[in-house]
Amino acid sequence: MSDREQGPRGDDPGTAFAGARLHIVTGKGGTGKTTAATALALALASRGGRVLLVEVEGRQGVASLLGSPALPYEEREMMTAPGGGSVHVLAADAEAALLEYLELFYGMRRAGQALTKLGAVDFATTIAPGLRDVLLTGKATEAVRRRTGGRGRTSGSPSSAPFHYDAVIMDAPPTGRIGRFLNVNSEVAGLARVGPVRGHADRVMEVIRSARTRVHFVTLLEEMPAQETRDGIAELRELGLPLGSVLVNMVAPPLLDAADLAAAVTGELDSAALASGLRAAPLDRALLEAHKELAEDLAGEVRAHALRQLLEERVRGELEELGLPMVELPRVEGGVDRAALGDLARSLTDQGVER
């Protein structure tokens, strides 16, 4: 995912700003978006740097994936990469972010806490979803800009201090909402045309539109997720937002070569050869006596697999036509744990994700 590995952008070539790289990960529900985002964070940390993974949906999906209790609203180190790097996780929360915002800009933390008790904060972020989105995206973009020693401040010159994080990964909302979520300037236009909220939104968009940001789409080799991916990419292209890679998740290795695939699809598999193979297999005697029926059933299963393989090849070809880099993550049997995340991260690294 180098600077060269980016799809067509809008007319805006990207705003120049100083900060870490921002990787935004979206995808249709059920595609393994959080798993892919976490594996990406671990892959980037394998270079020895510090990476922040920000979850913004309030699902505590990263905590669940890592087998951890629910995470508080703070940046907490959760994983160490083989290269000596570290992955920190922040479960961003709109209410907590608003309280922090009121304290930073207005010194109103106590008043904000009173508003929380009255339910006003929840009411405000519900009737004005653009405010909620700018607060959540703001947490990630603030971390992108932050330098060592605090929020942009060090004992020396802030501009000369190294950045606190080498990369920030945002586990973003699903594809169907990603355009509105990222285009926060448009979303807050009706709320505030001037003032701190608008200024905050402008700073967020400066990062999101920059050449150091990439939006990656997680999908499957299935028609509905692939179509939603195509729609989401088209939307972001229209908005002029920076595109990254297509992360194809849960890819199973092909079991049939071209000749067997064609024979299976047309029903021309040699049932006698299948039956012979079953007789040679160490099966129970009763099963051996039914080898002919088993061979017929097996032929049906092989044909179903062949049709599935053809569908996946067609969907893969359609995704390749999008003109973005494609990265494939293997299917993990038995559930994803920390060891499996390490394997997925290595797969990303092997495919050039860290370049």
Side-chain angles (χ1 to χ4, degrees):
M1 298 179 189
S2 66
D3 288 340
R4 297 187 303 275
E5 295 174 331
Q6 56 181 304
R9 301 269 300 278
D11 294 333
D12 183 359
T15 306
F17 85 102
R21 291 194 176 275
L22 174 62
H23 296 270
I24 300 168
V25 181
T26 184
K28 179 177 170 58
T31 59
K33 171 175 65 70
T34 296
T35 297
T38 306
L40 176 59
L42 193 57
L44 295 176
S46 67
R47 291 179 289 178
R50 183 188 292 113
V51 175
L52 176 66
L53 173 59
V54 182
E55 182 181 27
V56 299
E57 293 185 87
R59 297 184 298 106
Q60 291 285 343
V62 176
S64 177
L65 182 65
L66 299 179
S68 166
L71 297 173
Y73 180 68
E74 64 181 34
E75 294 165 20
R76 176 175 294 187
E77 183 175 342
M78 297 294 291
M79 292 185 290
T80 301
S86 58
V87 176
H88 301 244
V89 179
L90 170 65
D93 173 81
E95 181 178 294
L98 180 55
L99 294 178
E100 184 178 57
Y101 178 84
L102 291 173
E103 180 179 22
L104 287 173
F105 286 94
Y106 299 102
M108 293 175 58
R109 186 166 188 84
R110 289 187 178 180
Q113 291 171 340
L115 290 173
T116 298
K117 293 179 181 178
L118 293 172
V121 171
D122 185 58
F123 177 74
T125 55
T126 298
I127 65 171
L131 175 60
R132 177 184 183 277
D133 291 348
V134 76
L135 290 169
L136 293 174
T137 53
K139 287 304 299 178
T141 56
E142 179 276 321
V144 164
R145 294 176 179 272
R146 191 189 315 160
R147 296 182 183 270
T148 56
R151 303 185 184 280
R153 302 185 184 281
T154 65
S155 56
S157 170
S159 61
S160 63
F163 293 103
H164 189 72
Y165 289 108
D166 296 282
V168 176
I169 316 297
M170 185 195 299
D171 181 12
T175 312
R177 206 171 79 79
I178 192 63
R180 290 188 62 185
F181 179 78
L182 295 180
N183 196 28
V184 294
N185 259 356
S186 174
E187 291 301 300
V188 302
L191 299 175
R193 298 186 181 277
V194 295
V197 173
R198 182 63 193 217
H200 188 57
D202 288 342
R203 285 175 60 82
V204 168
M205 287 308 301
E206 182 184 20
V207 175
I208 290 177
R209 289 188 178 276
S210 80
R212 298 185 66 80
T213 295
R214 296 288 180 271
V215 183
H216 310 293
F217 286 77
V218 182
T219 188
L220 305 177
L221 292 177
E222 298 176 2
E223 290 182 333
M224 287 186 64
Q227 182 60 55
E228 192 160 314
T229 295
R230 291 194 293 271
D231 292 343
I233 288 172
E235 180 184 18
L236 294 200
R237 279 178 169 153
E238 186 175 347
L239 293 172
L241 298 182
L243 298 172
S245 298
V246 176
L247 308 180
V248 184
N249 200 15
M250 306 183 202
V251 177
L255 301 180
L256 301 173
D257 60 23
D260 288 337
L261 182 65
V265 170
T266 58
E268 296 175 358
L269 281 176
D270 189 343
S271 297
L274 287 175
S276 176
L278 288 170
R279 285 195 298 273
L283 298 176
D284 180 85
R285 186 175 187 82
L287 291 176
L288 286 174
E289 293 175 354
H291 63 269
K292 183 176 181 180
E293 291 78 6
L294 282 175
E296 292 175 353
D297 292 343
L298 182 57
E301 292 291 332
V302 172
R303 184 171 187 276
H305 174 81
L307 292 172
R308 168 75 185 186
Q309 189 171 321
L310 284 177
L311 170 66
E312 291 180 349
E313 289 179 0
R314 177 173 63 78
V315 172
R316 180 184 282 109
E318 292 171 351
L319 291 172
E320 288 173 346
E321 291 175 359
L322 292 169
L324 298 178
M326 275 181 56
V327 178
E328 296 194 357
L329 291 170
R331 181 186 301 276
V332 176
E333 303 296 341
V336 178
D337 55 16
R338 291 190 181 229
L341 282 171
D343 293 337
L344 293 175
R346 282 188 290 275
S347 178
L348 290 172
T349 300
D350 291 344
Q351 293 176 76
V353 71
E354 61 180 306
R355 289 198 295 273

